[in-house]
Amino acid sequence: MDVIIVDDEPGARRTLRECCAREADLRVIGEFGDSARALEAIRAQPPHLLFLDIQIDSRTGLQLARQLDPHTLPLIVFVTAYDNYALEAFEVSAVDYLLKPFDDDRFRRTLARVRQRREAESAADRHQVLEQLLAQVERNARATTEARPRILAESGSRMHMLDAAQVEVAEADRNYVKLIVGREAYLTRSTLQLAERALQSQSTLRISRSCVVNMNHVREVSRTPRGDFILVMTGGTTVTSSEGYREAVRDYLTRLKLG
């Protein structure tokens, strides 16, 4: 199967490329970090299998998928690090996806389903499933937007309304709480306990006395020599768990493992 990889993170592309290289029937014919070049390449030489990141650039992976030719639609495995409403839609639509970070075993299980689908589905079948998925994602996104909690915080001399789902990290900072959104930091005069309550609609985890993390935004996980967890967030912020919260982080991550 000819494979194209589309992901804006070089590390994620490398991981997928290395996983594919270990499979005798896969041949990577292209990898792209931006949606425009990816769409052009897919249209010029449609692959059999497409690994497609949900969040690429100005165009999401779902929007890119919608622009593909239905008659040459490849098998698609969506790749994501969060997007709860999208994951729910994948389950409902029986679409294959990989949740970052994934291991070799998870990749192989996904690939086994892909091989079965290749034998059983036509391009028309795949297009119908994709349309069902897109409709489900849009319904879930609307429901999320209608019920989204918001937080008022300041940056410089201005006040900002932040969606709780956008907040990656909340850190105690004396009489304030610092909220990290991407590469930006905002302050709100509050306690970490109140901030944690305001973020309760999200999958949050306290990793130290002074830090709460929105686990939907965790991109990478590693360990320090002493065993604490280092979490790299979507926007690039790095936070480290403390010894007293090490077990809680380990338990949470263990629940995410398959098998």
Side-chain angles (χ1 to χ4, degrees):
M1 286 187 285
D2 289 342
V3 178
I4 285 181
I5 298 168
V6 183
D7 196 306
D8 63 348
E9 297 177 19
R13 294 199 302 274
R14 183 180 64 251
T15 297
L16 285 166
R17 182 173 66 250
E18 291 173 350
C19 286
C20 290
R22 290 191 282 272
E23 302 296 326
D25 61 338
L26 298 187
R27 180 178 65 141
V28 177
I29 61 173
E31 58 176 82
F32 303 92
D34 67 277
S35 59
R37 288 178 57 239
L39 184 59
E40 182 180 349
I42 295 167
R43 285 173 170 171
Q45 186 179 359
H48 300 109
L49 175 59
L50 174 63
F51 289 99
L52 183 57
D53 187 23
I54 290 295
Q55 298 291 340
I56 311 171
D57 42 39
S58 59
R59 182 191 283 119
T60 70
L62 295 171
Q63 290 170 333
L64 188 152
R66 177 170 270 153
Q67 293 178 279
L68 299 180
D69 184 350
H71 299 99
T72 58
L73 189 68
L75 292 156
I76 300 176
V77 174
F78 289 98
V79 185
T80 183
Y82 48 101
D83 276 322
N84 278 351
Y85 69 83
L87 291 180
E88 180 185 340
F90 295 160
E91 297 286 1
V92 169
S93 305
V95 172
D96 290 313
Y97 68 90
L98 285 169
L99 182 63
K100 301 176 187 177
F102 56 86
D103 57 19
D104 287 347
D105 186 54
R106 178 71 175 93
F107 179 85
R108 291 193 187 99
R109 286 206 294 270
T110 297
L111 196 57
R113 290 196 298 271
V114 166
R115 291 183 177 116
Q116 291 174 350
R117 287 175 53 205
R118 188 186 184 198
E119 297 296 325
E121 293 180 357
S122 66
D125 294 330
R126 290 195 286 274
H127 183 252
Q128 183 179 7
V129 171
L130 179 61
E131 287 298 315
Q132 292 171 351
L133 167 67
L134 295 172
Q136 184 66 40
V137 167
E138 289 171 356
R139 284 194 294 270
N140 290 0
R142 283 196 299 270
T144 301
T145 302
E146 290 166 1
R148 65 184 188 185
R150 311 187 79 190
I151 301 170
L152 183 65
E154 62 182 284
S155 177
S157 60
R158 297 187 176 184
M159 303 300 291
H160 300 261
M161 293 296 294
L162 308 178
D163 286 346
Q166 294 178 319
V167 177
E168 300 177 16
V169 177
E171 290 183 303
D173 186 5
R174 289 175 292 184
N175 295 327
Y176 290 83
V177 172
K178 181 168 66 174
L179 303 175
I180 305 295
V181 177
R183 299 184 182 277
E184 303 295 327
Y186 303 86
L187 291 175
T188 179
R189 191 173 182 86
S190 183
T191 65
L192 192 60
Q193 183 178 8
L194 289 175
E196 195 171 15
R197 190 179 305 166
L199 296 171
Q200 64 184 359
S201 63
Q202 304 303 300
S203 181
T204 57
L205 181 68
R206 189 183 284 247
I207 65 168
S208 70
R209 289 184 61 188
S210 61
C211 183
V212 171
V213 170
N214 184 342
M215 298 300 286
N216 295 329
H217 287 282
V218 174
R219 189 176 69 195
E220 297 175 15
V221 181
S222 58
R223 303 290 292 273
T224 67
R226 58 180 286 179
D228 294 323
F229 291 86
I230 302 171
L231 308 180
V232 181
M233 311 306 293
T234 305
T237 298
T238 300
V239 291
T240 304
S241 66
S242 65
E243 181 178 359
Y245 291 81
R246 190 184 300 160
E247 288 300 320
V249 179
R250 181 187 290 113
D251 290 344
Y252 184 96
L253 296 175
T254 298
R255 292 197 298 273
L256 298 181
K257 293 181 179 179
L258 297 176

